[in-house]
PDB file of all heavy atoms in Angstrom:
ATOM      1  N   THR N 144       6.403   9.825  11.989  1.00  0.00           N
ATOM      2  CA  THR N 144       7.491   9.677  11.027  1.00  0.00           C
ATOM      3  C   THR N 144       8.429  10.879  11.118  1.00  0.00           C
ATOM      4  O   THR N 144       8.002  12.023  10.937  1.00  0.00           O
ATOM      5  CB  THR N 144       6.961   9.557   9.594  1.00  0.00           C
ATOM      6  OG1 THR N 144       6.141   8.388   9.492  1.00  0.00           O
ATOM      7  CG2 THR N 144       8.110   9.442   8.595  1.00  0.00           C
ATOM      8  N   SER N 145       9.684  10.609  11.405  1.00  0.00           N
ATOM      9  CA  SER N 145      10.722  11.647  11.430  1.00  0.00           C
ATOM     10  C   SER N 145      11.451  11.616  10.096  1.00  0.00           C
ATOM     11  O   SER N 145      11.917  10.557   9.661  1.00  0.00           O
ATOM     12  CB  SER N 145      11.704  11.395  12.576  1.00  0.00           C
ATOM     13  OG  SER N 145      11.036  11.430  13.826  1.00  0.00           O
ATOM     14  N   ALA N 146      11.542  12.772   9.438  1.00  0.00           N
ATOM     15  CA  ALA N 146      12.091  12.825   8.082  1.00  0.00           C
ATOM     16  C   ALA N 146      13.122  13.935   7.950  1.00  0.00           C
ATOM     17  O   ALA N 146      12.955  15.025   8.491  1.00  0.00           O
ATOM     18  CB  ALA N 146      10.966  13.051   7.078  1.00  0.00           C
ATOM     19  N   ILE N 147      14.198  13.640   7.207  1.00  0.00           N
ATOM     20  CA  ILE N 147      15.237  14.619   6.893  1.00  0.00           C
ATOM     21  C   ILE N 147      15.318  14.761   5.380  1.00  0.00           C
ATOM     22  O   ILE N 147      15.459  13.756   4.664  1.00  0.00           O
ATOM     23  CB  ILE N 147      16.606  14.187   7.443  1.00  0.00           C
ATOM     24  CG1 ILE N 147      16.572  14.098   8.974  1.00  0.00           C
ATOM     25  CG2 ILE N 147      17.699  15.154   7.008  1.00  0.00           C
ATOM     26  CD1 ILE N 147      17.888  13.648   9.579  1.00  0.00           C
ATOM     27  N   PRO N 148      15.242  15.983   4.845  1.00  0.00           N
ATOM     28  CA  PRO N 148      15.339  16.146   3.399  1.00  0.00           C
ATOM     29  C   PRO N 148      16.765  15.916   2.904  1.00  0.00           C
ATOM     30  O   PRO N 148      17.736  16.276   3.578  1.00  0.00           O
ATOM     31  CB  PRO N 148      14.910  17.598   3.171  1.00  0.00           C
ATOM     32  CG  PRO N 148      15.274  18.294   4.447  1.00  0.00           C
ATOM     33  CD  PRO N 148      15.060  17.273   5.537  1.00  0.00           C
ATOM     34  N   VAL N 149      16.869  15.308   1.740  1.00  0.00           N
ATOM     35  CA  VAL N 149      18.156  15.148   1.072  1.00  0.00           C
ATOM     36  C   VAL N 149      18.177  16.141  -0.092  1.00  0.00           C
ATOM     37  O   VAL N 149      17.444  15.970  -1.067  1.00  0.00           O
ATOM     38  CB  VAL N 149      18.353  13.708   0.563  1.00  0.00           C
ATOM     39  CG1 VAL N 149      19.692  13.574  -0.146  1.00  0.00           C
ATOM     40  CG2 VAL N 149      18.262  12.719   1.726  1.00  0.00           C
ATOM     41  N   VAL N 150      18.966  17.192   0.053  1.00  0.00           N
ATOM     42  CA  VAL N 150      19.061  18.247  -0.957  1.00  0.00           C
ATOM     43  C   VAL N 150      20.500  18.293  -1.440  1.00  0.00           C
ATOM     44  O   VAL N 150      21.428  18.512  -0.650  1.00  0.00           O
ATOM     45  CB  VAL N 150      18.638  19.612  -0.390  1.00  0.00           C
ATOM     46  CG1 VAL N 150      18.750  20.698  -1.455  1.00  0.00           C
ATOM     47  CG2 VAL N 150      17.211  19.539   0.149  1.00  0.00           C
ATOM     48  N   VAL N 151      20.702  18.046  -2.731  1.00  0.00           N
ATOM     49  CA  VAL N 151      22.037  17.978  -3.310  1.00  0.00           C
ATOM     50  C   VAL N 151      22.174  19.063  -4.373  1.00  0.00           C
ATOM     51  O   VAL N 151      21.386  19.096  -5.330  1.00  0.00           O
ATOM     52  CB  VAL N 151      22.308  16.588  -3.910  1.00  0.00           C
ATOM     53  CG1 VAL N 151      23.718  16.541  -4.498  1.00  0.00           C
ATOM     54  CG2 VAL N 151      22.141  15.500  -2.857  1.00  0.00           C
ATOM     55  N   ASP N 152      23.137  19.935  -4.190  1.00  0.00           N
ATOM     56  CA  ASP N 152      23.376  21.037  -5.129  1.00  0.00           C
ATOM     57  C   ASP N 152      22.086  21.821  -5.396  1.00  0.00           C
ATOM     58  O   ASP N 152      21.787  22.208  -6.529  1.00  0.00           O
ATOM     59  CB  ASP N 152      23.948  20.514  -6.447  1.00  0.00           C
ATOM     60  CG  ASP N 152      25.286  19.818  -6.251  1.00  0.00           C
ATOM     61  OD1 ASP N 152      26.030  20.230  -5.328  1.00  0.00           O
ATOM     62  OD2 ASP N 152      25.585  18.868  -6.998  1.00  0.00           O
ATOM     63  N   GLY N 153      21.315  22.015  -4.322  1.00  0.00           N
ATOM     64  CA  GLY N 153      20.088  22.796  -4.420  1.00  0.00           C
ATOM     65  C   GLY N 153      18.897  22.040  -4.959  1.00  0.00           C
ATOM     66  O   GLY N 153      17.798  22.605  -5.060  1.00  0.00           O
ATOM     67  N   GLU N 154      19.056  20.750  -5.278  1.00  0.00           N
ATOM     68  CA  GLU N 154      17.953  19.957  -5.829  1.00  0.00           C
ATOM     69  C   GLU N 154      17.459  18.958  -4.792  1.00  0.00           C
ATOM     70  O   GLU N 154      18.256  18.252  -4.161  1.00  0.00           O
ATOM     71  CB  GLU N 154      18.405  19.212  -7.085  1.00  0.00           C
ATOM     72  CG  GLU N 154      17.284  18.468  -7.786  1.00  0.00           C
ATOM     73  CD  GLU N 154      17.720  17.834  -9.090  1.00  0.00           C
ATOM     74  OE1 GLU N 154      18.929  17.568  -9.257  1.00  0.00           O
ATOM     75  OE2 GLU N 154      16.858  17.602  -9.962  1.00  0.00           O
ATOM     76  N   PHE N 155      16.155  18.883  -4.617  1.00  0.00           N
ATOM     77  CA  PHE N 155      15.549  17.969  -3.661  1.00  0.00           C
ATOM     78  C   PHE N 155      15.554  16.556  -4.228  1.00  0.00           C
ATOM     79  O   PHE N 155      14.964  16.305  -5.290  1.00  0.00           O
ATOM     80  CB  PHE N 155      14.125  18.409  -3.357  1.00  0.00           C
ATOM     81  CG  PHE N 155      13.352  17.493  -2.456  1.00  0.00           C
ATOM     82  CD1 PHE N 155      13.617  17.442  -1.098  1.00  0.00           C
ATOM     83  CD2 PHE N 155      12.351  16.681  -2.971  1.00  0.00           C
ATOM     84  CE1 PHE N 155      12.900  16.592  -0.266  1.00  0.00           C
ATOM     85  CE2 PHE N 155      11.623  15.838  -2.144  1.00  0.00           C
ATOM     86  CZ  PHE N 155      11.904  15.791  -0.795  1.00  0.00           C
ATOM     87  N   TRP N 156      16.208  15.640  -3.513  1.00  0.00           N
ATOM     88  CA  TRP N 156      16.319  14.258  -3.981  1.00  0.00           C
ATOM     89  C   TRP N 156      15.457  13.282  -3.182  1.00  0.00           C
ATOM     90  O   TRP N 156      15.380  12.114  -3.531  1.00  0.00           O
ATOM     91  CB  TRP N 156      17.773  13.802  -3.934  1.00  0.00           C
ATOM     92  CG  TRP N 156      18.571  14.300  -5.104  1.00  0.00           C
ATOM     93  CD1 TRP N 156      18.179  15.205  -6.043  1.00  0.00           C
ATOM     94  CD2 TRP N 156      19.902  13.918  -5.452  1.00  0.00           C
ATOM     95  NE1 TRP N 156      19.177  15.421  -6.962  1.00  0.00           N
ATOM     96  CE2 TRP N 156      20.253  14.641  -6.615  1.00  0.00           C
ATOM     97  CE3 TRP N 156      20.836  13.056  -4.906  1.00  0.00           C
ATOM     98  CZ2 TRP N 156      21.485  14.503  -7.247  1.00  0.00           C
ATOM     99  CZ3 TRP N 156      22.075  12.925  -5.524  1.00  0.00           C
ATOM    100  CH2 TRP N 156      22.399  13.631  -6.683  1.00  0.00           C
ATOM    101  N   GLY N 157      14.855  13.742  -2.108  1.00  0.00           N
ATOM    102  CA  GLY N 157      13.993  12.847  -1.340  1.00  0.00           C
ATOM    103  C   GLY N 157      14.153  13.049   0.149  1.00  0.00           C
ATOM    104  O   GLY N 157      14.709  14.058   0.598  1.00  0.00           O
ATOM    105  N   VAL N 158      13.671  12.083   0.908  1.00  0.00           N
ATOM    106  CA  VAL N 158      13.741  12.163   2.367  1.00  0.00           C
ATOM    107  C   VAL N 158      14.201  10.833   2.952  1.00  0.00           C
ATOM    108  O   VAL N 158      13.791   9.757   2.505  1.00  0.00           O
ATOM    109  CB  VAL N 158      12.374  12.542   2.994  1.00  0.00           C
ATOM    110  CG1 VAL N 158      12.020  13.984   2.691  1.00  0.00           C
ATOM    111  CG2 VAL N 158      11.257  11.620   2.522  1.00  0.00           C
ATOM    112  N   ALA N 159      15.054  10.921   3.956  1.00  0.00           N
ATOM    113  CA  ALA N 159      15.422   9.768   4.781  1.00  0.00           C
ATOM    114  C   ALA N 159      14.537   9.804   6.019  1.00  0.00           C
ATOM    115  O   ALA N 159      14.406  10.850   6.657  1.00  0.00           O
ATOM    116  CB  ALA N 159      16.892   9.829   5.168  1.00  0.00           C
ATOM    117  N   CYS N 160      13.926   8.675   6.340  1.00  0.00           N
ATOM    118  CA  CYS N 160      12.890   8.664   7.379  1.00  0.00           C
ATOM    119  C   CYS N 160      13.058   7.497   8.344  1.00  0.00           C
ATOM    120  O   CYS N 160      13.663   6.471   8.021  1.00  0.00           O
ATOM    121  CB  CYS N 160      11.499   8.535   6.749  1.00  0.00           C
ATOM    122  SG  CYS N 160      11.058   9.793   5.564  1.00  0.00           S
ATOM    123  N   ALA N 161      12.472   7.675   9.518  1.00  0.00           N
ATOM    124  CA  ALA N 161      12.340   6.594  10.491  1.00  0.00           C
ATOM    125  C   ALA N 161      10.981   6.720  11.166  1.00  0.00           C
ATOM    126  O   ALA N 161      10.530   7.827  11.453  1.00  0.00           O
ATOM    127  CB  ALA N 161      13.459   6.634  11.526  1.00  0.00           C
ATOM    128  N   ASP N 162      10.352   5.586  11.408  1.00  0.00           N
ATOM    129  CA  ASP N 162       9.050   5.540  12.066  1.00  0.00           C
ATOM    130  C   ASP N 162       9.186   5.047  13.497  1.00  0.00           C
ATOM    131  O   ASP N 162       9.934   4.102  13.776  1.00  0.00           O
ATOM    132  CB  ASP N 162       8.108   4.560  11.348  1.00  0.00           C
ATOM    133  CG  ASP N 162       7.404   5.174  10.159  1.00  0.00           C
ATOM    134  OD1 ASP N 162       7.545   6.383   9.934  1.00  0.00           O
ATOM    135  OD2 ASP N 162       6.711   4.421   9.446  1.00  0.00           O
ATOM    136  N   VAL N 163       8.427   5.678  14.390  1.00  0.00           N
ATOM    137  CA  VAL N 163       8.204   5.120  15.719  1.00  0.00           C
ATOM    138  C   VAL N 163       6.697   4.997  15.908  1.00  0.00           C
ATOM    139  O   VAL N 163       5.932   5.852  15.442  1.00  0.00           O
ATOM    140  CB  VAL N 163       8.812   5.982  16.847  1.00  0.00           C
ATOM    141  CG1 VAL N 163      10.315   5.990  16.752  1.00  0.00           C
ATOM    142  CG2 VAL N 163       8.266   7.391  16.833  1.00  0.00           C
ATOM    143  N   LEU N 164       6.275   3.940  16.549  1.00  0.00           N
ATOM    144  CA  LEU N 164       4.865   3.790  16.874  1.00  0.00           C
ATOM    145  C   LEU N 164       4.555   4.626  18.112  1.00  0.00           C
ATOM    146  O   LEU N 164       5.421   4.826  18.974  1.00  0.00           O
ATOM    147  CB  LEU N 164       4.532   2.324  17.137  1.00  0.00           C
ATOM    148  CG  LEU N 164       4.878   1.341  16.008  1.00  0.00           C
ATOM    149  CD1 LEU N 164       4.390  -0.061  16.373  1.00  0.00           C
ATOM    150  CD2 LEU N 164       4.305   1.785  14.672  1.00  0.00           C
ATOM    151  N   VAL N 165       3.328   5.131  18.186  1.00  0.00           N
ATOM    152  CA  VAL N 165       2.935   5.929  19.348  1.00  0.00           C
ATOM    153  C   VAL N 165       3.147   5.143  20.634  1.00  0.00           C
ATOM    154  O   VAL N 165       3.525   5.707  21.661  1.00  0.00           O
ATOM    155  CB  VAL N 165       1.474   6.395  19.204  1.00  0.00           C
ATOM    156  CG1 VAL N 165       0.913   6.862  20.550  1.00  0.00           C
ATOM    157  CG2 VAL N 165       1.380   7.546  18.198  1.00  0.00           C
ATOM    158  N   ALA N 166       2.961   3.837  20.573  1.00  0.00           N
ATOM    159  CA  ALA N 166       3.175   3.015  21.767  1.00  0.00           C
ATOM    160  C   ALA N 166       4.603   3.138  22.290  1.00  0.00           C
ATOM    161  O   ALA N 166       4.844   3.052  23.493  1.00  0.00           O
ATOM    162  CB  ALA N 166       2.860   1.548  21.452  1.00  0.00           C
ATOM    163  N   GLY N 167       5.563   3.354  21.391  1.00  0.00           N
ATOM    164  CA  GLY N 167       6.956   3.478  21.810  1.00  0.00           C
ATOM    165  C   GLY N 167       7.217   4.753  22.592  1.00  0.00           C
ATOM    166  O   GLY N 167       7.870   4.728  23.641  1.00  0.00           O
ATOM    167  N   ILE N 168       6.707   5.882  22.110  1.00  0.00           N
ATOM    168  CA  ILE N 168       6.912   7.126  22.851  1.00  0.00           C
ATOM    169  C   ILE N 168       6.061   7.143  24.114  1.00  0.00           C
ATOM    170  O   ILE N 168       6.453   7.704  25.138  1.00  0.00           O
ATOM    171  CB  ILE N 168       6.628   8.369  21.975  1.00  0.00           C
ATOM    172  CG1 ILE N 168       7.080   9.641  22.715  1.00  0.00           C
ATOM    173  CG2 ILE N 168       5.184   8.463  21.572  1.00  0.00           C
ATOM    174  CD1 ILE N 168       7.095  10.874  21.859  1.00  0.00           C
TER     175      ILE N 168
END
Side-chain angles (χ1 to χ4, degrees):
T144 298
S145 299
I147 297 179
V149 179
V150 180
V151 181
D152 299 328
E154 185 175 24
F155 176 74
W156 280 9
V158 290
C160 303
D162 276 354
V163 294
L164 304 184
V165 163
I168 189 169

